[in-house]
Amino acid sequence: MLAYIIGVVLFALGICVSVALHEAGHMVTAKAFGMKVRRYFIGFGPKVFSFRRGETEYGLKWIPLGGFCDIAGMTALDEVAPEEAPRAMWRFKTWKRTVVLAAGSVTHFILGFVVLYLMAVTMGLPNVTGTPQISAVSECVRNAQTDEEFAHPNCRPGDPAPAKQGGLQPGDKVLSVNGKSTPTYVDVTAAIQQLSGPVTFQVERDGRTVPLTIDVAQVQRPVQDEKGNEKIVTVGSLGVTFANNFSYNPVSAFGGAGGFTANMFVQTWDRLLEFPERIPAVVHSIFGGERDPNTPVSVVGASRIGGEAVENGLWQLFFLLLASLNFFVGVFNLLPLLPLDGGHIAVTWYERVRDGVRKMRGKAAGGPVDYTKLSAITMVLVFIGGAVTLLTVTADIVNPIRLQ
């Protein structure tokens, strides 16, 4: 139980640090361009303490669920003192305002990459793409009644050793089987199980392609059918173990973390597209239905999963979840919807395009967008966002996603 509490606290602390650095991204870039930053606070609600350094007040509030950076004149509706007017944000060039508005999300992306890089050089990164890279070659393959026997056979003289005898080595990446491309180890396994006897392979070894011919053996092993019933079947077998984790040195970790980051961006975008259709499942789970592990979670739910990960010693999962959350928040915050930063960026570039069109027509610039005309849309989006947050928090309390 103590480990679970520590995990929850650590994950919540990680979220707080992410939010604080998000706002710091806005503040640092705004100051760099000469904009007036009035306040930088971590948290909401009553003030715990604050201090002033230069023209900016820094402080901490009691509810550590967010933070804010108060930049003078972020929109034309903001009240700006006469001495602040020349440095109001809305007066600056479009690209500078865009950099400041996007800096929060960029900070999340940097944090996510840093977490993945540190994982790569310490505990490694999981093989989430199913890369068919061999981590170990077995001394033999044998008939087995259990998965354990199949994975760790008690070899005897005369037992076939297809992979070893065929020249496969740890580190090889299987490119094709009998001329058919195998982008994942699932593809390799599926192909091999249907074959026996001499089979041609193309493997990547030390940056070059090596052709091999391997005599695939037929063995008996247990499998589960669609109903979950176990049965013994005869399948082709190589006698290899595919890597489920990749280790890196401090230099190669940049490439490993970079590739993993790209993969997480794709997954994050896919989850965002699926988000609306997952909401009914969240509602269903609140009223007693089984909780789909693919449904959205709130900060509460993510912290609970982080706690369970620590409790079970799954530190890799803990840090992956933290990196994933940073990528999700960063991408979500760039959506062109008010009051998100992406919404303000969209307004900023609308002004730029509109003024460009007006200039071509011989007219003067139109001035800042009147945010009061967007207030109705903004309130609707805030209401929807609040409702979704309430639903996910409720589901994470009454019917949380669990690791076991």
Side-chain angles (χ1 to χ4, degrees), residues 37 96 113 125 127 148 153 182 221 229 268 350 367:
V37 179
K96 292 184 177 181
F113 177 82
L125 294 172
N127 185 8
E148 178 64 22
T182 52
R221 64 163 299 183
N229 300 317
T268 298
Y350 164 77

Side-chain angles (χ1 to χ4, degrees), residues 46 205 269 314:
R205 181 182 298 168
W269 182 248
L314 303 174

Side-chain angles (χ1 to χ4, degrees), residues 222-239:
V223 298
Q224 287 188 340
D225 59 22
E226 295 178 355
K227 296 182 179 180
N229 300 317
E230 192 171 275
K231 60 180 181 179
I232 303 297
V233 299
T234 301
V235 296
S237 180
L238 271 181

Side-chain angles (χ1 to χ4, degrees), residues 17-306:
V17 170
S18 295
V19 171
L21 292 177
H22 172 109
E23 297 301 330
H26 291 313
M27 178 184 68
V28 170
T29 50
K31 283 178 172 288
F33 290 136
M35 300 175 190
K36 172 69 179 292
V37 179
R38 299 166 177 151
R39 295 181 297 163
Y40 170 76
F41 271 76
I42 300 173
F44 295 113
K47 182 168 64 176
V48 178
F49 71 86
S50 70
F51 62 91
R52 181 171 292 277
R53 180 162 296 174
E55 63 185 12
T56 306
E57 180 186 9
Y58 302 85
L60 177 69
K61 298 201 172 190
W62 278 108
I63 306 174
L65 296 179
F68 63 92
C69 174
D70 180 14
I71 304 173
M74 184 172 177
T75 73
L77 291 179
D78 294 345
E79 292 187 8
V80 178
E83 65 273 14
E84 297 174 332
R87 299 170 60 198
M89 181 175 176
W90 65 268
R91 291 182 179 275
F92 284 73
K93 292 183 177 180
T94 301
W95 73 268
K96 292 184 177 181
R97 293 160 63 190
T98 301
V99 169
V100 173
L101 291 167
S105 286
V106 172
T107 301
H108 284 296
F109 301 150
I110 294 173
L111 283 173
F113 177 82
V114 169
V115 170
L116 293 178
Y117 176 83
L118 294 176
M119 287 179 62
V121 296
T122 54
M123 60 186 71
L125 294 172
N127 185 8
V128 294
T129 58
T131 301
Q133 183 171 319
I134 296 170
S135 63
V137 176
S138 178
E139 292 296 319
C140 73
V141 295
R142 295 193 65 207
N143 293 335
Q145 298 297 310
T146 66
D147 288 334
E148 178 64 22
E149 288 180 0
F150 183 77
H152 303 95
N154 184 17
C155 297
R156 301 173 183 175
D159 285 339
K164 183 177 181 180
Q165 294 169 351
L168 278 174
Q169 299 177 9
D172 286 352
K173 178 181 175 182
V174 180
L175 302 177
S176 67
V177 176
N178 267 354
K180 182 178 180 180
S181 177
T182 52
T184 71
Y185 56 72
V186 174
D187 298 318
V188 177
T189 301
I192 294 301
Q193 288 181 345
Q194 307 300 318
L195 301 171
S196 65
V199 176
T200 59
F201 287 75
Q202 294 281 340
V203 302
E204 181 182 306
R205 181 182 298 168
D206 298 328
R208 57 193 177 89
T209 300
V210 178
L212 298 173
T213 299
I214 301 174
D215 194 9
V216 175
Q218 288 275 307
V219 299
Q220 293 181 339
R221 64 163 299 183
V223 298
Q224 287 188 340
D225 59 22
E226 295 178 355
K227 296 182 179 180
N229 300 317
E230 192 171 275
K231 60 180 181 179
I232 303 297
V233 299
T234 301
V235 296
S237 180
L238 271 181
V240 298
T241 301
F242 291 104
N244 56 21
N245 199 68
F246 295 129
S247 298
Y248 302 88
N249 61 44
V251 176
S252 64
F254 283 102
F260 205 95
T261 295
N263 179 261
M264 293 195 82
F265 270 119
V266 173
Q267 292 186 26
T268 298
W269 182 248
D270 289 341
R271 296 296 176 270
L272 278 172
L273 294 178
E274 296 170 358
F275 195 92
E277 64 187 57
R278 300 284 185 185
I279 297 302
V282 175
V283 177
H284 179 65
S285 69
I286 293 174
F287 295 98
E290 184 178 352
R291 183 73 184 269
D292 183 347
N294 293 316
T295 52
V297 296
S298 65
V299 171
V300 173
S303 298
R304 293 185 69 155
I305 296 173

